[in-house]
Amino acid sequence: QVQLVESGGGLVQAGGSLRLSCVASARMFSIVVMGWYRQAPGAQRELVAHISSGGTTTYADSVKGRFTISRDNAENTVYLQMNSLKPEDTAVYYCNAVLRHYSGSYSYTEWGQGTQVTVSS
């Protein structure tokens, strides 16, 4: 199947920046959509941003203007540039990919293991 490996989380002060990366090992699959979700303690997992193979992006209202998602299709990699970070951005960030088998016979969603982002006030 497919593995998603995230990197780039850490501790940063409010107002700072971090860049998350996620690489997909996707033999026999095309990646339809890649994105980032986050889950804070006691909260449900929520969409942060996603990007289609054609470059169409969607952002949560809470991150618009501060976060930028981008994608390198040749490298099966998605990035999340996070600027002007706030304490409320603190969460575990999960990479997500919607994958379609080359045969076209099925699709499924894969998740990364998550990376912690902590923003101190």
Side-chain angles (χ1 to χ4, degrees):
Q1 295 288 54
V2 176
Q3 280 192 320
L4 304 179
V5 179
E6 301 130 331
S7 60
L11 172 64
V12 65
Q13 287 189 332
S17 298
L18 283 173
R19 188 191 195 209
L20 305 183
S21 300
C22 173
V23 181
S25 60
R27 287 186 178 183
M28 302 302 295
F29 289 88
S30 61
I31 304 174
V32 180
V33 177
M34 293 190 83
W36 293 92
Y37 287 70
R38 68 186 181 187
Q39 187 167 19
Q44 290 189 332
R45 192 173 296 189
E46 62 177 4
L47 172 70
V48 176
H50 62 67
I51 183 168
S52 72
S53 58
T56 300
T57 58
T58 300
Y59 293 93
D61 287 343
S62 59
V63 306
K64 283 181 181 177
R66 300 188 298 122
F67 291 10
T68 302
I69 190 169
S70 60
R71 178 172 172 173
D72 184 334
N73 289 331
E75 299 295 328
N76 286 341
T77 302
V78 65
Y79 305 96
L80 185 69
Q81 178 65 44
M82 305 185 292
N83 299 328
S84 303
L85 282 160
K86 304 176 181 179
E88 51 264 43
D89 294 318
T90 295
V92 178
Y93 283 69
Y94 295 91
C95 181
N96 166 277
V98 176
L99 305 147
R100 181 177 298 124
H101 193 264
Y102 282 167
S103 68
S105 58
Y106 69 96
S107 299
Y108 80 105
T109 298
E110 187 63 79
W111 293 91
Q113 79 283 0
T115 185
Q116 177 70 45
V117 171
T118 302
V119 184
S120 63
S121 57

